[in-house]
Amino acid sequence: MKKFIEIVAGEAAYASLASFETIEQLNQTVRQYKDMINAMELRQDVKRNLLTVMEYLKRHSCRFFGVSFKGKRKIAADLKMSDKTITRLCKRLEVLGFIKQYAMKRSSDMQQTSNAIVIQPAKNENVPQEAAKMSGQKNNIFLKQSQLLNNTYSVKSVTFYERFKNLLENTIGQNQSLVSRMYGVYRAHSTALVKHGAFDKQDVENIAMSALHTAVIRTKTKKIRNLAGFYNGVLNKMLDRFVLEDCARVLVEEA
């Protein structure tokens, strides 16, 4: 079935997709994302490649702040990586919520062309700048999370449960009952995915933490009566996307 693509590549489209108002906002957000990548327990080559791609996208997103329209083949050639490696790295960054990829078509023949890759604002970027300045760094939840990640992920002996619990207690407060319910949600989703090695446990844990960050951030801007239920919904969507993209990747590689 032929994929239907709505967005026509061009300056108007790229301008409409711009995700930042200033280059300073873009740079600050990429620094936060790179800190989070550095804090993750990944193979060193994977971590290094993710950081390299993130930096490359930033450097080529300065005309329309946050929007890169370099093709993956061009990115691969510039970074001396394979096309498949770049595709996998971009998918991983998208699962983490750091970027979004938009399929584009040429205006000349309406055929598919290079995707637009858009760096996503940190979750607290929608707070008005003046209010953010008045509140100061103490109210910058995303910065707090990045610092927490550095504190927890850098210690190899700390278990995933401890990292999970620490994040909740440092943002929501001590509540063992809530921690148990939230971790139970993670276990319910993850057990089947990692059983018999179907999916990499570390990938699933990283997605679970990303979903937890999203759920916690939303409590700062939205009244959520059942945080465990909300987390269940966020995690379910992220894992569904991850599984679908992984299956699509396998099909492409086997073709």
Side-chain angles (χ1 to χ4, degrees):
M1 183 176 178
K2 189 174 181 180
K3 185 178 180 180
F4 181 73
I5 302 174
E6 295 183 347
I7 307 176
V8 179
E11 292 196 359
Y14 299 139
S16 69
L17 291 172
S19 48
F20 299 92
E21 295 181 359
T22 68
I23 193 68
E24 290 76 17
Q25 291 177 348
L26 170 62
N27 290 338
Q28 180 182 4
T29 295
V30 171
R31 282 195 297 270
Q32 291 176 351
Y33 289 161
K34 290 171 74 174
D35 285 345
M36 293 180 71
I37 293 170
N38 273 318
M40 293 176 183
E41 291 185 0
L42 302 170
R43 290 202 325 260
Q44 288 303 310
D45 60 328
V46 174
K47 183 180 295 188
R48 181 175 61 252
N49 288 342
L50 285 170
L51 292 169
T52 299
V53 171
M54 200 76 236
E55 179 65 21
Y56 182 96
L57 293 175
K58 183 196 77 173
R59 291 180 179 274
H60 292 85
S61 301
C62 297
R63 184 178 178 189
F64 303 98
F65 299 138
V67 183
S68 169
F69 39 90
K70 295 280 187 181
K72 290 189 176 65
R73 287 186 180 178
K74 174 62 175 171
I75 298 174
D78 288 348
L79 298 180
K80 295 180 172 56
M81 299 182 191
S82 70
D83 295 357
K84 287 184 178 180
T85 296
I86 294 300
T87 297
R88 290 173 183 171
L89 291 169
C90 286
K91 285 182 178 178
R92 196 156 194 166
L93 290 171
E94 191 165 27
V95 168
L96 289 168
F98 296 170
I99 67 171
K100 280 189 179 180
Q101 301 183 77
Y102 294 87
M104 312 289 284
K105 59 184 177 182
R106 294 185 292 267
S107 59
S108 58
D109 57 9
M110 294 299 165
Q111 297 299 306
Q112 186 169 4
T113 187
S114 300
N115 289 352
I117 302 177
V118 183
I119 298 172
Q120 297 301 288
K123 296 299 183 181
N124 64 329
E125 285 292 322
N126 57 356
V127 178
Q129 290 186 1
E130 291 302 319
K133 289 179 182 178
M134 291 176 64
S135 63
Q137 287 190 348
K138 289 184 178 180
N139 289 331
N140 188 331
I141 183 64
F142 197 89
L143 179 58
K144 285 182 179 179
Q145 289 174 348
S146 296
Q147 292 169 339
L148 177 61
L149 280 168
N150 279 319
N151 291 336
T152 56
Y153 283 9
S154 60
V155 181
K156 296 291 185 179
S157 60
V158 176
T159 66
F160 176 73
Y161 173 76
E162 289 170 322
R163 298 201 303 269
F164 192 98
K165 181 179 180 180
N166 285 342
L167 176 57
L168 277 173
E169 290 186 346
N170 281 276
T171 53
I172 302 298
Q174 292 190 350
N175 186 331
Q176 184 57 49
S177 176
L178 177 62
V179 171
S180 297
R181 293 199 306 273
M182 300 282 280
Y183 192 74
V185 169
Y186 156 72
R187 291 283 297 168
H189 283 282
S190 65
T191 301
L193 290 176
V194 301
K195 190 176 182 180
H196 306 308
F199 292 93
D200 186 78
K201 183 179 179 181
Q202 192 171 88
D203 285 338
V204 176
E205 287 181 352
N206 287 339
I207 294 168
M209 289 298 287
S210 181
L212 187 60
H213 302 156
T214 299
V216 168
I217 289 170
R218 289 299 299 275
T219 65
K220 307 303 176 181
T221 59
K222 179 180 179 180
K223 187 175 182 180
I224 297 174
R225 296 182 182 276
N226 183 356
L227 183 57
F230 182 73
Y231 175 59
N232 179 72
V234 173
L235 180 58
N236 186 54
K237 288 180 181 179
M238 286 189 175
L239 287 173
D240 280 350
R241 184 170 61 180
F242 170 71
V243 171
L244 288 172
E245 289 179 348
D246 189 78
C247 291
R249 175 184 60 79
V250 172
L251 290 173
V252 169
E253 291 178 352
E254 292 179 348

